[in-house]
């Protein structure tokens, strides 16, 4: 019998429940929806979440589709699906918290006596740690841009990190970010991996959720389930992986109108033009260039976006090497 | 010699200038950018604007492209291009005003002693009326949805309305909304037409501005210039037009996650399913249906959008008849 808080879930059963995130000023409890699918055979407990950033709804739709098609009679272990994690931000279609303007995925493990987002992170952290043996966090670029289909794991060579590497290799993309980024020290996947719970991020698309985006999420979900031996499906590993390392936020110096010159997922050589800024008359006033010898366009905000000085228009990742699978 | 406020523009000349919208609390004047291209031959004065809603930037990009390619030596009359009209809303990437939350395109002719947006509308109204003999207003669905390529004119059978009809027939789309909508009584194109200045709206796309969107805007710009005999280009009228009449805002009854079942521009029969709402678990909880015997999907908000009760997820227009050109 699987137990989620007070809720028992028998083998072969699917239960819809929720867990409390925090209380509202009016006293109502804000709950995160959870669907627990307990397989008929024992196995890992995979926590899959979407909308840790409130406007990254592609993963929510993908989880709904997975839950509609996955059969607990064919599942080993337990799927704990959280289609909308950051409910306060989701309600207002915002990446960050509408209350304290904090990015929830930067403040783990949280603090039960901290700010709104710290307290929410603390509650989530406690729930995940009591529940999961592995975790998958579904992301996108949110409303105002797009990311390519790629996966992220925390690369610290621990046993959990090595399992995370096996998970990302099965996602369906050759582009793997082996992250050691300081700015992701408080990300949920980083902290969980450091605590011995392998956890990875899958990035797909952005504001307009396309059919291809949903196929990518679906590949990723089935790939990770297969990599953890939770479903009897072939693991579709790639021949070669492009390993991504250092990251660079591409921030503009001027206000203007964004004119992207490349697409998410493009590989660029050093000094290649990534984007330009036009002024209100259409004159080009700033050029943004690839900061690496070889760089991967890990996000691009949309054509025509009004941007202010210091705003990020793209994230670039350095291509560090090509390599084969480490799973064998 | 063409005169824009204090600024003279000689035949064959292109001048970049601006006009004041209002003052900021710090005393700075908020200016709207204007490019004036004065043709070498006399003719109409066409005012073309984008971003009357601050996040509808497709028209801004299209105007920049037009200005980069149009030659005043081949132009009869004067093009007055305002690539960003609603500067305060554009700065914060918002449809409505960030100050009074008013939709600028509902409050014309404005009021110089009214709210922020009323005062801005009044200033714009005065400038357009002093300047233009015809107007073209470029729109999109903004950030969170898409519109099909269609055109709108105010249908009151006045001489200005008849000229507006000639203009929309040249836009490049067969879908023409002959609007008599009460809720557009304060729209700039409605008021201008009623004042004897033919004015039309062109609608294209939404958040992700595609190459096809820019081609549609370009067709529309060249088509209207040709219809007004400002450029010597053939007017590409359609064989038949689909005339759209009554409008219906499709507002949801529940909160949920939007699942569109049709695309912008689709023609639907009565009771056809337009969209559904899913709850956070993925269960379908509300169905939105076509309210007309034959309806045109004039906008659709995006897949996966979190929506609250009463929010508009689509605008439907009734197909009233097919007809040929009225221009001949």
């Amino acid at each position: 019998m699987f137990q989620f808080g007070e809720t028992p879930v028998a083998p072969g059963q699917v239960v819809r429940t929720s867990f409390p995130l925090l209380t509202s000023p009016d006293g109502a409890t804000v709950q995160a929806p959870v669907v627990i699918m307990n397989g008929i055979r024992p196995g890992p407990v995979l926590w899959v979440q979407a909308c840790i950033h409130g406007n990254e709804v592609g993963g929510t739709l993908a989880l709904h589709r997975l839950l509609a098609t996955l059969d607990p009679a064919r599942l080993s272990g337990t799927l704990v699906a959280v289609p909308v994690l950051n409910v306060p931000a989701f309600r207002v279609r915002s990446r960050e918290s509408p209350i304290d303007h904090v990015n929830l995925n930067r403040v783990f493990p949280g603090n039960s006596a901290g700010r709104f987002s710290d307290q929410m992170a603390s509650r989530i952290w406690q729930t995940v740690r009591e529940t999961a043996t592995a975790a998958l966090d579904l992301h996108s670029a949110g409303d105002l841009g797009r990311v390519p289909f790629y996966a992220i794991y925390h690369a610290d060579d621990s046993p959990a990190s090595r399992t995370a590497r096996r998970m990302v290799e099965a996602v369906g993309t050759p582009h793997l970010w082996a992250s050691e980024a300081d700015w992701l020290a408080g990300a949920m996947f980083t902290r969980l991996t450091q605590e011995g719970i392998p956890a990875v991020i899958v990035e797909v698309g952005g504001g307009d959720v396309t059919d291809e985006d949903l196929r990518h999420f679906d590949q990723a979900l089935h790939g990770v389930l297969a990599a953890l031996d939770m479903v009897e499906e072939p693991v579709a590993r790639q021949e070669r992986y492009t390993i991504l390392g250092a990251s660079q936020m591409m921030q503009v110096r001027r206000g203007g109108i964004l004119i992207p010159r490349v697409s998410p997922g493009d590989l660029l050589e050093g000094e290649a033009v990534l984007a330009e800024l036009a002024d209100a008359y259409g004159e080009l006033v700033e050029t943004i260039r690839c900061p690496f010898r070889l760089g991967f366009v890990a996000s691009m905000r949309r054509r025509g976006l009004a941007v202010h000085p210091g705003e990020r228009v793209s994230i670039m990742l350095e291509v560090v090497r090509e390599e084969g699978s480490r799973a064998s």
Side-chain angles (χ1 to χ4, degrees), chain A:
Chain A
M1 185 70 73
F2 181 80
Q3 195 76 24
F4 182 78
E6 304 295 300
T7 307
V9 188
Q13 207 186 1
V14 179
V15 168
R16 291 177 186 182
T17 180
S18 60
F19 70 98
L21 294 171
L22 27 67
T23 54
S24 292
D26 54 288
T29 303
V30 180
Q31 304 268 353
V34 181
V35 182
I36 297 159
M37 181 180 287
N38 195 7
I40 55 168
R41 286 176 297 275
V45 180
L46 177 64
W47 174 287
V48 187
Q49 67 187 27
C51 271
I52 192 170
H53 297 133
N55 60 359
E56 299 181 4
V57 294
T60 303
L61 298 175
L63 265 179
H64 289 167
R65 288 180 175 217
L66 179 72
L67 291 166
T69 53
L70 200 64
D71 180 356
R74 294 170 178 277
L75 186 68
S76 300
T78 308
L79 176 69
V80 179
V82 186
V84 177
L85 181 70
N86 189 344
V87 173
F90 168 79
R91 286 178 177 170
V92 296
R93 304 191 278 252
S94 165
R95 175 178 172 83
E96 280 93 15
S97 166
I99 306 304
D100 59 12
H101 311 293
V102 163
N103 181 334
L104 179 60
N105 203 28
R106 300 290 180 274
V107 298
F108 281 86
N111 176 349
S112 61
R115 297 163 298 180
F116 183 86
S117 295
D118 297 321
Q119 294 192 26
M120 198 159 79
S122 174
R123 190 70 193 77
I124 294 165
W125 179 252
Q126 189 186 328
T127 307
V128 175
R129 289 205 56 206
E130 284 169 0
T131 307
T133 62
L136 170 56
D137 187 11
L138 305 177
H139 284 248
S140 81
D143 283 330
L144 300 178
R146 287 188 68 78
V147 293
F149 178 30
Y150 75 104
I152 314 175
Y153 72 108
H154 177 65
D156 66 7
D157 213 37
S158 63
S161 173
R162 288 197 292 274
T163 302
R165 169 66 186 251
R166 282 204 302 118
M167 291 163 68
V168 291
E169 284 188 6
V171 158
T173 170
H175 295 112
L176 307 183
W177 182 14
S179 168
E180 303 170 73
D182 288 341
W183 58 275
L184 291 176
M188 191 168 153
F189 80 100
T190 304
R191 288 287 182 174
L192 283 174
T193 303
Q194 289 169 340
E195 293 286 318
I197 298 173
V200 304
I201 280 180
V202 168
E203 296 273 1
V204 178
D208 288 330
V209 180
T210 67
D211 291 344
E212 188 183 32
D213 292 342
L214 292 177
R215 279 195 298 276
H216 284 155
F217 275 123
D218 198 56
Q219 275 180 47
L221 288 161
H222 281 273
V224 169
L225 287 166
L228 295 172
D229 297 318
M230 295 177 69
V231 294
E232 286 186 14
E233 295 174 14
V235 178
R237 291 187 206 284
Q238 312 289 309
E239 285 289 311
R240 305 289 292 168
Y241 293 95
T242 301
I243 306 301
L244 309 165
S247 58
Q248 177 74 48
M249 303 293 179
M250 306 309 298
Q251 292 161 291
V252 295
R253 308 290 175 91
R254 299 187 45 143
I257 296 167
L258 184 65
I259 315 288
R261 297 300 186 196
V262 298
S263 298
D266 283 356
L267 291 175
L268 302 183
E269 304 206 331
E271 299 298 308
V273 175
L274 195 61
E276 294 182 275
L277 281 192
D279 68 14
Y281 298 97
E283 281 296 301
L284 298 175
V285 293
E286 184 170 336
T287 302
I288 301 104
R289 294 177 184 278
C290 175
F292 299 120
R293 195 183 51 77
L294 187 60
F296 175 76
V297 182
S299 76
M300 181 59 76
R301 300 198 91 178
R302 65 165 50 144
R303 173 144 74 175
L305 194 73
V307 293
H308 293 262
E311 280 201 301
R312 179 205 305 173
V313 296
S314 171
I315 299 177
M316 290 296 295
L317 297 175
E318 187 172 24
V319 174
V320 292
R321 63 184 173 276
E322 299 276 318
E323 62 183 34
S325 171
R326 292 185 182 176
S328 49

